[in-house]
């Protein structure tokens, strides 16, 4: 009985910590495996953003939010297995970000299976408003799998949704 109580307390404690990260993490089945060619670490596995903090603690004051898909630059190059936080800079601000929401990898996908371009949309639906178009042969950075048959991607400063049949 006591070990179950301890596990329950650990789960409750974790649930209390998660809300300090904006829009709690969400895993996807898509696992990026292409080497990061931009340098830095990518923000992944969250809905919108993570918090850049003043110290390596979930209780530390928040400096600013780092949006999903953005890249942070690592200041200290130490073994991440021994710590929960990376010492980073983002837009000239120094702070700490949780490693569980950062990855050194990015997957770049190429636009295929269209005549000229595809649409980057505001929502994962074919009838959603178009943000911009992406020409055939261009590359987008995968951010996360979204709904059925749509990827959330980054393209030239825009985050949006593309049907996966047009990317490889």
């Amino acid at each position: 009985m006591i070990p179950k109580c301890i596990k329950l307390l650990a789960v409750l404690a974790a649930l209390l910590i998660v809300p300090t990260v904006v829009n709690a993490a969400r895993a996807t089945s898509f696992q990026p495996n292409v080497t990061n060619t931009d340098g830095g670490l990518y923000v992944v596995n969250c809905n919108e953003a993570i918090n850049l903090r003043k110290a390596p603690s979930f209780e530390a004051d928040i400096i600013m939010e780092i949006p999903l898909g953005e890249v942070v630059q690592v200041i200290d190059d130490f073994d991440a297995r021994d710590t929960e936080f990376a010492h980073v800079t983002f837009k000239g601000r120094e702070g700490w970000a949780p490693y569980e929401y950062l990855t050194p990898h990015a997957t770049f996908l190429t636009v295929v299976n269209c005549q000229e371009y595809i649409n980057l949309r505001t929502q994962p639906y074919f009838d959603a408003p178009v943000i911009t178009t992406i020409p055939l042969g261009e590359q987008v950075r995968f951010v996360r799998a979204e709904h059925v048959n749509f990827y959330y991607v980054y393209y030239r400063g825009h985050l949006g949704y593309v049907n996966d049949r047009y990317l490889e």
Side-chain angles (χ1 to χ4, degrees):
M1 180 68 180
I2 291 176
K4 285 184 180 180
C5 290
I6 292 172
K7 287 181 184 177
L8 181 59
L9 288 173
V11 169
L12 289 172
L15 290 174
L16 292 173
I17 291 172
V18 169
T20 62
V21 177
V22 176
N23 294 312
R26 183 175 72 149
T28 68
S29 60
F30 189 89
Q31 296 298 317
N33 60 5
V34 176
T35 303
N36 173 0
T37 58
D38 291 338
L41 301 174
Y42 291 91
V43 175
V44 297
N45 295 330
C46 65
N47 286 334
E48 292 180 23
I50 64 172
N51 294 321
L52 182 66
R53 296 185 176 273
K54 289 186 177 181
S57 166
F58 286 107
E59 288 77 36
D61 290 341
I62 297 169
I63 299 169
M64 66 188 302
E65 290 182 356
I66 307 170
L68 175 67
E70 290 291 335
V71 179
V72 298
Q73 299 301 315
V74 177
I75 295 172
D76 299 325
D77 189 17
F78 51 83
D79 191 345
R81 292 173 293 185
D82 294 334
T83 183
E84 287 184 87
F85 289 84
H87 191 195
V88 301
T89 60
F90 177 70
K91 292 188 176 183
R93 305 288 302 269
E94 181 178 334
W96 299 86
Y99 269 113
E100 68 183 300
Y101 300 103
L102 302 173
T103 181
H105 301 287
T107 296
F108 293 93
L109 302 169
T110 304
V111 174
V112 296
N113 300 328
C114 68
Q115 290 185 9
E116 293 182 43
Y117 61 86
I118 61 173
N119 294 317
L120 182 68
R121 298 183 178 276
T122 59
Q123 297 292 318
Y125 309 106
F126 286 110
D127 59 349
V130 175
I131 298 168
T132 189
T133 58
I134 308 170
L136 175 65
E138 283 287 305
Q139 289 194 322
V140 299
R141 183 173 12 140
F142 172 85
V143 177
R144 69 174 182 244
E146 187 70 35
H147 297 289
V148 177
N149 301 324
F150 277 87
Y151 290 155
Y152 192 57
V153 300
Y154 178 87
Y155 176 70
R156 295 191 178 185
H158 300 284
L159 285 166
Y161 301 88
V162 173
N163 185 268
D164 64 1
R165 73 176 171 211
Y166 299 113
L167 299 174
E168 71 176 20

